[in-house]
Amino acid sequence: MPELPEVETTRRGLLPHVEGQRVAHVRLRRPDLRWPIPREVEELLPEQRIDAIRRRAKYLLLDTTAGSALLHLGMSGSLRVLPEDTPVRAHDHVDIALVGEDGKPGRVLRFNDPRRFGCLLWQAPGEIHPLLAGLGPEPLSEAFDGNYLFELSRGRKVPVKTFLMDQSVVVGVGNIYAAEALFTAGISPLRPAGKVSRERYAALAEAVKAILAHAIARGGTTLRDFISPDGAPGYFEQELLAYGRGGQPCPRCGRALKQASIGQRATVWCGHCQK
């Protein structure tokens, strides 16, 4: 599933082409994706100006005066800005058509999702959609730091990796980036969250911020189904130090990296460098 850097890469790629544009119409080629697409998308979004494109966790929001279209890419979804007359491909389920200049055909924001695990929903003005309620802070925000993690983790017996991936703790730190951050901070993913010191949580928070920022700058992680809006894959995968490298030499000490399942997710770490 695309993680936070992939979604942020998509948001930044769409920003100059979509923000400030007016919606001409919405074309739904099917009534549902993961969930039914609410009628407000077709009824309220047309003729609205897209005032902003925001990201919250792994969701994208297209903000208008009438409300916000809420999108999730699921496991295989992609958003492209294309000429309106671009031939429709298989799995092109949604077109949000933008008003062209001088009456000419404009562009469309096209949502393609082969597996249909993504979603297109609606958030009314002044409300928070239930999917966004109860989420933790953004990892790149000032609200997320070592003190925050330390205080929240007291008494928690779950593995620190599970704790870090809990969306009510912090949003958008998925399996790949949790593994990389724990490796960078030298913390074993098996250690109980409540047994990590304040100082080590400070190092972990800094590692999360640095790794996510670098991944965004590099275009995200190349997953099998993910490509950015311009069609280019991300490049961060080439730089992974732990994730997906079970049994290979540790980049620091040369010992074989260990691999196990934590919370039904594959986890790789160095038994020597991570304590």
Side-chain angles (χ1 to χ4, degrees), residues 78-185:
S78 64
L79 288 165
R80 305 283 187 86
V81 178
L82 304 165
E84 192 168 7
D85 58 358
T86 301
V88 175
R89 304 177 302 169
H91 314 300
D92 282 343
H93 301 309
V94 179
D95 278 358
I96 298 175
L98 307 175
V99 175
E101 298 179 0
D102 301 324
K104 297 179 181 179
R107 296 179 175 183
V108 295
L109 177 59
R110 183 163 289 173
F111 189 7
N112 180 283
D113 187 5
R115 301 185 190 180
R116 299 205 308 273
F117 286 155
C119 69
L120 172 55
L121 302 171
W122 188 257
Q123 178 175 278
E127 297 183 6
I128 298 178
H129 194 278
L131 289 173
L132 305 183
L135 293 178
E138 292 286 332
L140 297 177
S141 70
E142 293 183 359
F144 177 72
D145 61 15
N147 289 328
Y148 165 79
L149 286 175
F150 178 79
E151 297 296 339
L152 197 62
S153 67
R154 295 307 86 189
R156 299 287 293 271
K157 297 180 180 180
V158 298
V160 64
K161 182 166 182 273
T162 302
F163 174 72
L164 188 61
M165 292 176 61
D166 184 339
Q167 296 297 290
S168 68
V169 173
V170 59
V171 300
V173 183
N175 198 28
I176 295 173
Y177 299 104
E180 293 298 297
L182 287 164
F183 179 84
T184 299

Side-chain angles (χ1 to χ4, degrees), residues 198-240:
R198 189 185 298 271
E199 292 73 21
R200 300 189 83 194
Y201 268 128
L204 180 58
E206 288 303 311
V208 168
K209 289 175 181 287
I211 288 168
L212 288 176
H214 182 60
I216 291 168
R218 296 286 281 154
T221 304
T222 304
L223 302 180
R224 181 179 60 187
D225 294 318
F226 179 80
I227 49 178
S228 60
D230 61 2
Y235 297 101
F236 185 70
E237 185 179 29
Q238 301 172 23
E239 304 168 26
L240 296 176

